[in-house]
Amino acid sequence: MCGIVGLFLKDPKLEPQLGAMLTDMLITMTDRGPDSAGIAIYGRPEKGKAKLTVQSANPDADFATLADDLGKAIAGKVTGVVKDTHMVLELPEDRLEAARHAMRDLRPKAKVMSAGEGIEIYKEVGLPKDVAARFEVSRMSGTHGIGHTRMATESAVTTMGAHPFSTGADQCLVHNGSLSNHNSVRRVLRQAGMTFETENDTEVAAAFISHKLQEGAKLGEAMEATLTDLDGFFTFVVGTKNGFGVVRDPIACKPAVMAETDQYVAFGSEYRAMVNLPGIDNARVWEPEPATVYFWER
Ligand SMILES: NC(=O)CC[C@H](N)C(=O)O
């Protein structure tokens, strides 16, 4: 099982409702994966600024002076907003890599959930309704977003084992299925310099796409490569700063439904995730074909 939802807005008028729409979609998928849940929201990037979303098991101690400490370490202005176990740090775009490095010394136990100009990722063990409420996702605006509710198959039920996985700036991936060659692909990617936080198969798929993008592939090409190099079952939904993509393995036994109107492109593991979207009755609704890449970019 596992439930996936995604929404890529074409109409800016819907942007203030992105978090609320995705939350509703994800809660509808709760019975497909009750052990952990997560959501990636892409806000409109602010010129010259970047965001680092970090997570801590001890947020009071770790977050109290983090914005100031990080500001000193990177010699730049850092502001932060704490939401439960997560904190979103806003900083100068050209200091993003320096900030990632500084975090390892400043707060070695805190985890980086995402980094980039638009992306924020919130994920924890628990049901979608509880995870979404803890991080007030329904109040967030944005241009596109992806949500996941997990029934673990390949690694422990932990915060870091929850989806979405982010392995590159402004990139994320969620997965329904299980990969059979993830250990060998992980070894190859490690040799190429990619690093991993978990033993999870989905993290390997995310890193595989990030590595292809680093090598210069376009989003569609990177997704196409999953069809030749990754074995097993998958429906993947991928987010980038300006893009949103879907691909299913050649057997395609993991369910997927898409809907498109003039206002949005939506993805659900099942149609019921999309019933409350505006204009859904007149949307073009279809099942994505096996071994076929679909993507949209602004
Ligand atoms: N049930 C699933 O689709 C699980 C997805 C992935 N294999 C995981 O364990 O996280």
Side-chain angles (χ1 to χ4, degrees):
M1 298 275 267
C2 279
I4 301 176
V5 298
L7 201 50
F8 181 80
L9 299 180
K10 301 181 195 173
D11 182 352
K13 282 204 283 299
L14 288 180
E15 288 178 15
Q17 295 163 52
L18 179 78
M21 290 191 285
L22 268 177
T23 299
D24 177 74
M25 293 170 80
L26 189 58
I27 290 173
T28 309
M29 291 289 95
T30 299
D31 56 9
R32 294 192 57 86
D35 64 46
S36 50
I39 210 148
I41 298 263
Y42 291 82
R44 276 209 176 269
E46 271 187 67
K47 211 174 162 14
K49 288 194 178 158
K51 291 185 279 192
L52 199 60
T53 306
V54 297
Q55 185 269 357
S56 168
N58 295 305
D60 290 347
D62 277 348
F63 295 161
T65 61
L66 181 55
D68 284 350
D69 296 349
L70 193 59
K72 282 185 197 122
I74 65 166
K77 183 167 182 268
V78 179
T79 56
V81 176
V82 175
K83 287 191 195 171
D84 198 75
T85 54
H86 288 43
M87 183 173 190
V88 180
L89 296 149
E90 203 171 83
L91 41 96
E93 188 196 337
D94 59 0
R95 306 304 292 146
L96 185 58
E97 260 324 293
R100 279 194 85 126
H101 284 285
M103 278 299 296
R104 287 182 211 148
D105 294 328
L106 290 172
R107 300 292 186 276
K109 289 196 181 137
K111 301 286 186 191
V112 173
M113 313 307 272
S114 62
E117 290 173 43
I119 194 171
E120 294 175 27
I121 288 184
Y122 300 91
K123 60 184 192 180
E124 281 294 2
V125 172
L127 296 175
K129 73 173 170 45
D130 298 324
V131 173
R134 282 170 77 173
F135 302 115
E136 301 178 324
V137 176
S138 59
R139 292 165 63 167
M140 294 181 72
S141 64
T143 51
H144 53 301
I146 296 171
H148 187 271
T149 185
R150 181 179 184 219
M151 183 176 283
T153 64
E154 303 301 314
S155 70
V157 175
T158 60
T159 304
M160 294 312 281
H163 305 211
F165 283 92
S166 182
T167 48
D170 281 310
Q171 292 161 21
C172 77
L173 179 144
V174 299
H175 172 207
N176 181 192
S178 51
L179 303 179
S180 53
N181 65 340
H182 65 101
N183 286 326
S184 55
V185 176
R186 189 187 289 107
R187 279 193 290 275
V188 172
L189 290 171
R190 274 204 176 113
Q191 279 160 12
M194 302 300 290
T195 56
F196 293 87
E197 293 279 349
T198 70
E199 294 303 307
N200 188 272
D201 57 335
T202 308
E203 187 179 16
V204 173
F208 177 83
I209 289 182
S210 293
H211 184 242
K212 289 277 176 216
L213 294 173
Q214 277 172 23
E215 286 183 323
K218 299 251 188 286
L219 175 61
E221 293 164 345
M223 294 183 68
E224 197 76 45
T226 65
L227 292 166
T228 47
D229 290 22
L230 300 183
D231 296 335
F233 299 118
F234 56 87
T235 292
F236 295 136
V237 179
V238 176
T240 65
K241 187 166 72 171
N242 302 311
F244 177 77
V246 173
V247 62
R248 302 171 81 199
D249 69 70
I251 295 172
C253 65
K254 298 298 176 189
V257 185
M258 301 208 63
E260 184 165 15
T261 70
D262 291 346
Q263 291 187 293
Y264 58 79
V265 179
F267 177 96
S269 289
E270 300 174 40
Y271 178 74
R272 65 192 163 107
M274 301 190 281
V275 290
N276 291 330
L277 291 176
I280 189 70
D281 290 342
N282 299 316
R284 181 171 82 90
V285 176
W286 76 101
E287 180 181 351
E289 295 291 330
T292 305
V293 173
Y294 298 81
F295 67 96
W296 290 260
E297 283 180 303
R298 292 178 215 289

